């Protein structure tokens, strides 16, 4: 069985270049590839097209890449809690494609499944549908949406093995499974890396065939975007 383990994020991100399209898993700040993002910052690659549900916050996640002006275009479902993302969007500094969340997820899944286009009713009759092909099915109008694929897909999992099989935990099982299938090179960072054969096959969410590089991450902050606590 092929051992896909690399030592660290530095080795995992070899080959990332200016102008590439990247997918970054996560939902808000949950399940984001923290180590890979830090390495992108260190490398200083620029003119990136980033596909992600959102762009983190100002001082964490993809928000750090936005601060350093490394991102040319964001493809996302919402601006979220990121004031810098909002500022760059409104000022025209950043090219942004906002997509309905379900459509974004399906476009990523389609890219991994080899489906170049599909039809969805989401967005028909709104700005989302401008310039897109529409078609009627059973008396209802649908928009044609195309797949999304990336040069690199960066995902974060709870546990993985040396063959690249991945298990996500809780809410981190969001955009990570779809994006893992849609990268030419998929890099997985995990909290716990075990030998091949130790994971229960019935619990695996992403089969190792989709993963080219895997490493055990470190120093995860796991920030909470909006902490809400009950008063005593």
């Amino acid at each position: 069985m092929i051992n896909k383990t690399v030592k660290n994020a530095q080795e995992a991100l070899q080959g990332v270049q200016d102008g590439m399209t990247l997918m970054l898993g996560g939902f808000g700040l949950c399940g984001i590839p923290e180590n890979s993002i830090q390495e992108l910052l260190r490398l200083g690659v620029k003119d990136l097209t980033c596909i992600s549900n959102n762009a983190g916050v100002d001082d964490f996640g993809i928000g750090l890449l936005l601060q350093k002006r490394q991102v040319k275009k964001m493809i996302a479902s919402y601006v979220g809690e990121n004031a810098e993302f909002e500022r760059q969007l409104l000022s025209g500094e950043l090219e942004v494609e906002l997509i309905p969340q379900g459509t974004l997820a399906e476009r990523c899944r389609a890219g991994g499944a080899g489906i170049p286009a599909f039809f969805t009713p989401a967005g028909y009759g709104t700005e989302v549908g401008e310039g897109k092909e529409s078609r009627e099915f059973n008396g209802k109008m649908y928009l044609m949406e195309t797949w999304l694929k990336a040069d690199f897909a960066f995902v974060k999992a709870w546990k993985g093995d040396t063959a690249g099989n991945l298990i996500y935990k809780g809410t981190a099982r969001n955009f990570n499974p779809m994006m893992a299938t849609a990268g030419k090179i998929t890099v997985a960072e995990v909290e716990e890396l075990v030998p091949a054969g130790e994971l229960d096959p019935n619990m695996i969410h992403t089969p190792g065939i989709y993963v080219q590089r895997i490493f055990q991450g470190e120093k995860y902050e796991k920030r909470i975007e909006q902490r809400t606590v009950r008063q005593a």
Side-chain angles (χ1 to χ4, degrees):
M1 188 171 291
I2 300 174
N3 188 331
K4 301 179 180 180
T5 308
V6 294
K7 290 186 295 186
N8 49 36
Q10 186 172 351
E11 185 176 344
L13 269 69
Q14 288 183 3
V16 177
Q17 301 176 1
D18 293 350
M20 282 188 163
T21 296
L22 311 179
M23 284 185 176
L24 298 105
F27 188 97
L29 300 181
C30 179
I32 65 172
E34 295 181 29
N35 286 243
S36 297
I37 291 172
Q38 287 297 322
E39 180 61 14
L40 288 171
L41 283 166
R42 191 194 70 81
L43 290 171
V45 287
K46 57 185 185 299
D47 295 327
L48 300 172
T49 295
C50 291
I51 304 170
S52 183
N53 179 61
N54 63 301
V57 292
D58 290 325
D59 62 344
F60 195 61
I62 300 175
L64 296 170
L65 299 176
L66 290 171
Q67 284 187 357
K68 297 293 185 181
R69 303 296 193 277
Q70 292 177 245
V71 182
K72 176 184 69 175
K73 179 178 181 179
M74 274 298 307
I75 299 175
S77 73
Y78 76 114
V79 175
E81 305 296 325
N82 194 319
E84 179 61 18
F85 184 4
E86 180 183 17
R87 189 196 66 76
Q88 291 187 29
L89 166 62
L90 295 176
S91 68
E93 298 175 37
L94 179 69
E95 186 179 351
V96 177
E97 182 181 353
L98 290 177
I99 304 171
Q101 196 168 71
T103 302
L104 176 61
E106 184 63 9
R107 288 179 68 181
C108 294
R109 192 196 71 82
I115 301 170
F118 60 92
F119 284 89
T120 175
Y124 177 78
T126 72
E127 291 184 11
V128 172
E130 292 180 1
K132 294 180 180 177
E133 179 181 339
S134 61
R135 194 175 298 182
E136 182 179 342
F137 295 95
N138 296 325
K140 188 173 183 177
M141 295 303 297
Y142 290 76
L143 293 177
M144 188 180 79
E145 297 282 359
T146 56
W147 59 12
L148 287 172
K149 298 192 288 183
D151 298 300
F152 277 80
F154 299 105
V155 300
K156 193 264 182 179
W158 169 52
K159 188 179 291 187
D161 67 19
T162 55
N165 298 299
L166 305 176
I167 298 174
Y168 307 102
K169 190 173 185 179
T171 310
R173 187 182 173 187
N174 41 54
F175 280 84
N176 281 304
M178 291 86 75
M179 290 184 172
T181 68
K184 292 179 183 177
I185 297 176
T186 293
V187 175
E189 56 180 83
V190 299
E191 294 181 40
E192 183 178 350
L193 184 62
V194 301
E198 285 201 11
L199 299 181
D200 181 349
N202 294 303
M203 300 300 292
I204 291 171
H205 300 128
T206 294
I209 192 171
Y210 291 112
V211 177
Q212 281 70 48
R213 304 171 188 173
I214 187 170
F215 69 97
Q216 184 162 318
E218 58 182 12
K219 299 178 181 178
Y220 286 108
E221 291 190 41
K222 297 185 181 180
R223 292 195 196 179
I224 297 174
E225 195 165 355
Q226 292 288 349
R227 184 186 297 272
T228 303
V229 295
R230 185 172 56 187
Q231 293 183 347

